[in-house]
Amino acid sequence: MNLRVVLVGACLTLAACGGGTPADTGPPPDTKLDIANKAGTQALSMDMPAQAVRQYKLALTRAYERDDTEAIADTSYNLALAQMRAGDPKEALRTTREARAELDRRRVPIPAELALVQSAAAYRAGDLGAASAAAQEALELRARDPDTLPRAWFIRGLVAAERGDGATLAQAIAALPPSKQADIEADRQELVGRAALLAGKPGEALASFERAAANRQQALDYRGMARVLAMAAEASLKLSRTSDAAVFYLRAGRTNLLQGDMAAATPQLKRAEELARQTSQADVVEEIARLRKAAPRT
């Protein structure tokens, strides 16, 4: 497998792998499988996750028809990624579990990257226990992609932060040294910010969240950027900077809205409006009204 993992989003997104090449070992290439996989990867790169899901499902059906273990693992990974991008982490979790069951039946080792995407899906679905367990598994398995280990540590850190587990959070931060890679550095800064919040240092937390947001933007991780902006709003509230919090919530909600994530956008925009009314920020209230009017009806 040629899997490159890129964390974006509530928690995460990952980069899809393409079809096989003549240099790959195993069965010869299958044109239908490769075309569907490549179409899915292209749709994902164009931020069209729903189309990517359809193409990867076609590819996965072909992989099972072909009885190709590696193609099943690769395409399941791709499909789970697309399902998370499409805002359906529960389906992504189901996809990874089905792939794992198939690999177990064949007595084939689970790729660390598949465990990682399962961890990301579980976290996005709100199952912190499953997210932590799968992240730990990804750390223990042999990874083919060098980014797999730092991504797994990031998820462990997120879970620890939500559980108030400062010791594990500190361990995760220590495993993520400063990086010139924007997405990895964003992960580290986000965990540093969450640790500062736990330690009662909202000023330090806010600075870290703002740096993380800038790196998420550079990495084109807009869902992850929105998540960090919401954390910046929380830190601002702890600093009694209510007007700043309203703006941070507005920015987070607007990005989520434009990403099609209404579940995240709706409460963020509502909170932004409440805070903006408290601080007489008419422009913020007006912008929220404009966004709601322009939002697609579901």
Side-chain angles (χ1 to χ4, degrees), residues 12 21 47 50 65 67 77 125 129 144 155 159-161 166 182 189 199 208 216 220 223 225 248 251 264 291:
L12 353 147
T21 68
D47 199 22
E65 179 183 355
D67 195 39
Y77 171 96
R144 299 189 183 188
I155 296 176
V159 172
Q189 289 290 349
S208 292
R216 295 269 183 235
L220 307 182
R223 286 178 185 264
M225 182 186 71
F248 278 125
R251 292 164 60 188
L291 290 169

Side-chain angles (χ1 to χ4, degrees), residues 237 242-243 246 271-281 285:
L237 285 175
T242 308
S243 60
R271 185 62 172 145
E273 183 179 26
E274 292 171 349
L275 297 175
R277 291 189 183 281
Q278 291 177 22
T279 52
S280 301
Q281 292 174 279
V285 174

